[in-house]
Amino acid sequence: ATPYFAAKKLIKKLLPKKIPFVAVLVEHPMKRGYYLAVSRHGKPDDFNLPGGKVEKGESLKEAASRELREETGVYALNMDKVYVAQEETAQNEYCAVFQTNGPWSTEHLFNYSLETKAPNSEGCAVKWTTKEGLCRGSFANYNKALFQHLGL
């Protein structure tokens, strides 16, 4: 490679990565090993973590909080970024995952049972599922890598 392309590649590697997607991992407060999940539009049995696109001017944490609230009605008071990687089904873009284990400010957290799905305001289903359930959906490889990274 020419020095120009080598320098360009190095600069690109050193620059901060643009992260256009976020997701939130919420573990059930009393039933360990169950996570809050939302179905994909038009795919009622394809469950993934709540999340979506970062809007212009939003921080990653603000986007994660907004997406969680919009998709589940849950307000998370504390969230930490725990994972960032490229997502194979999102045009190979980066996704940042935030984890929250409470406290939560909502009655909605307990509206979702372990056995049934409840519709959200966007017409998608919301439920608690296991990591195995999250590792069968359209983001299976990403979720497997996330759980492995977290040692879960």
Side-chain angles (χ1 to χ4, degrees):
T2 66
Y4 169 78
F5 287 112
K8 186 176 176 180
K9 187 176 179 179
L10 177 63
I11 290 169
K12 187 174 181 178
K13 188 176 181 180
L14 295 175
L15 289 174
K17 294 171 181 58
K18 182 178 182 220
I19 302 174
F21 296 100
V22 293
V24 183
L25 182 66
V26 178
E27 188 170 19
H28 194 283
M30 294 181 289
K31 187 76 173 170
R32 194 153 176 78
Y34 280 82
Y35 304 92
L36 199 56
V38 179
S39 70
R40 306 217 0 116
H41 287 281
K43 297 180 180 181
D45 294 319
D46 184 3
F47 283 88
N48 295 285
L49 298 175
K53 290 184 179 181
V54 178
E55 294 179 358
K56 189 174 181 174
E58 268 184 326
S59 71
L60 295 176
K61 197 172 200 176
E62 290 168 339
S65 180
R66 176 186 51 76
E67 286 290 345
L68 179 64
R69 185 178 61 254
E70 287 176 357
E71 293 186 358
T72 68
V74 173
Y75 289 79
L77 301 178
N78 295 312
M79 287 196 290
D80 295 308
K81 185 169 53 171
V82 294
Y83 186 67
V84 176
Q86 283 181 299
E87 170 48 60
E88 74 277 3
T89 61
Q91 300 85 38
N92 222 18
E93 298 279 2
Y94 282 87
C95 179
V97 177
F98 286 80
Q99 184 174 22
T100 179
N101 289 313
W104 298 278
S105 173
T106 183
E107 70 280 359
H108 294 292
L109 199 59
F110 296 100
N111 285 350
Y112 308 117
S113 77
L114 296 177
E115 293 82 30
T116 59
K117 302 178 252 188
N120 67 10
S121 62
E122 299 174 349
C124 297
V126 181
K127 73 172 187 173
W128 294 101
T129 190
T130 61
K131 72 177 184 179
E132 291 79 18
L134 288 168
C135 292
R136 285 194 297 262
S138 55
F139 293 91
N141 291 338
Y142 189 88
N143 291 337
K144 286 175 187 174
L146 165 66
F147 285 118
Q148 182 178 3
H149 173 78
L150 296 175
L152 299 172

